[in-house]
Amino acid sequence: ILLLLLLPIVLIVLVRNFLSTNYLASSIYKLIFISPLFYRLFIRKRSLKDSITEGFNFKKFKDKFWIVIGVGILLSIIYFSAYFVFKGYLNLESIGNNLDQLASINATNIIFIGVYIVFINSLLEEFFWRGFIFKETNKLMTPLLTYLITGIAFSFHHVMFYYTWFSFPLFSLVTIGLVGFAVIVNFIFQQYEDLYSCWLIHGMVDIVQITIAIMIFGII
């Protein structure tokens, strides 16, 4: 479990240094997000169906749907507002160029990649971070340590994408915000025991992220 907390970060570094700079190659590290399947299949001897669906509870999702929507809207508003508050401190052209250089993300493909990020990538991340890492770490540590360690690990996985974009104070603020997001979604998962809820919240926030990227690339 502790190894898997760090492995996404290590894999990102290796991919960035040794593979070509296109989105597919730069995303190959995300194969680690399906590692829970192998753990459940070969260590816990679960069926493939149970290994895939563990953590998903549609009844609880349906019962808490509007609360989850409210949380997603609130976090999305905070994210979007923060962008406009700190926009003047950002070099948007440099960020756009960096996305293109690192992962070939640009104005021609941002919509397509955005659809993938909102619907698929958010699911993979929740399946891994909440449905496996947080759940299993919670069995090994106190609740406080579980929230803190998994929140930091989640944020550091994303830090590898933006560490060159901001000044140190803004970098710190963004990282704290990511830890806060992880803690909130961890709490939602622990309270509702449902990954659909986490997936919806994550996807809503990612819509804001892609909208900002579209604005940076000058599409709107």
Side-chain angles (χ1 to χ4, degrees):
I1 299 300
L2 293 175
L3 174 63
L4 287 175
L5 282 167
L6 299 173
L7 204 51
I9 302 168
V10 174
L11 289 176
I12 291 170
V13 172
L14 293 175
V15 165
R16 291 282 173 81
N17 283 280
F18 296 105
L19 292 182
S20 59
T21 56
N22 62 70
Y23 188 75
L24 180 62
S26 68
S27 299
I28 199 168
Y29 78 92
K30 294 178 184 179
L31 290 172
I32 196 69
F33 292 160
I34 63 173
S35 60
L37 289 179
F38 299 97
Y39 172 78
R40 292 164 185 164
L41 284 168
F42 299 111
I43 305 298
R44 293 176 56 190
K45 306 300 183 181
R46 302 287 299 277
S47 69
L48 178 60
K49 179 182 177 182
D50 289 344
S51 298
I52 293 172
T53 59
E54 183 174 322
F56 292 93
N57 189 318
F58 189 73
K59 184 180 183 303
K60 291 184 178 180
F61 171 66
K62 187 171 64 174
D63 291 343
K64 303 296 184 181
F65 179 77
W66 292 111
I67 295 175
V68 171
I69 285 289
V71 173
I73 290 173
L74 178 60
L75 293 177
S76 298
I77 290 173
I78 292 172
Y79 189 1
F80 212 35
S81 300
Y83 169 71
F84 285 105
V85 169
F86 296 105
K87 182 180 177 182
Y89 299 95
L90 304 176
N91 186 332
L92 300 182
E93 183 179 355
S94 175
I95 292 174
N97 290 335
N98 184 257
L99 285 170
D100 196 10
Q101 291 170 4
L102 287 178
S104 296
I105 300 175
N106 49 57
T108 63
N109 60 20
I110 185 60
I111 302 296
F112 174 77
I113 291 174
V115 171
Y116 160 77
I117 288 174
V118 170
F119 291 101
I120 306 300
N121 187 71
S122 59
L123 173 61
L124 290 173
E125 289 196 6
E126 291 307 317
F127 183 75
F128 179 77
W129 289 109
R130 248 61 64 182
F132 184 66
I133 292 295
F134 175 76
K135 184 177 180 180
E136 297 299 325
T137 305
N138 207 26
K139 299 174 184 177
L140 306 172
M141 302 178 182
T142 64
L144 179 60
L145 272 178
T146 299
Y147 273 87
L148 186 62
I149 290 174
T150 57
I152 291 173
F154 176 83
S155 70
F156 269 60
H157 152 231
H158 292 82
V159 160
M160 302 308 297
F161 293 95
Y162 66 75
Y163 68 93
T164 61
W165 296 358
F166 310 120
S167 62
F168 182 75
L170 197 52
F171 168 86
S172 302
L173 186 61
V174 171
T175 304
I176 291 170
L178 268 170
V179 173
F181 172 80
V183 167
I184 291 169
V185 185
N186 284 347
F187 177 77
I188 292 292
F189 179 68
Q190 187 171 42
Q191 291 295 111
Y192 300 162
E193 298 178 327
D194 169 53
L195 283 174
Y196 287 118
S197 302
C198 303
W199 183 19
L200 178 58
I201 292 170
H202 199 145
M204 292 174 70
V205 173
D206 278 347
I207 288 173
V208 175
Q209 176 180 278
I210 298 305
T211 301
I212 291 172
I214 289 171
M215 295 168 66
I216 288 174
F217 287 124
I219 300 173
I220 59 173

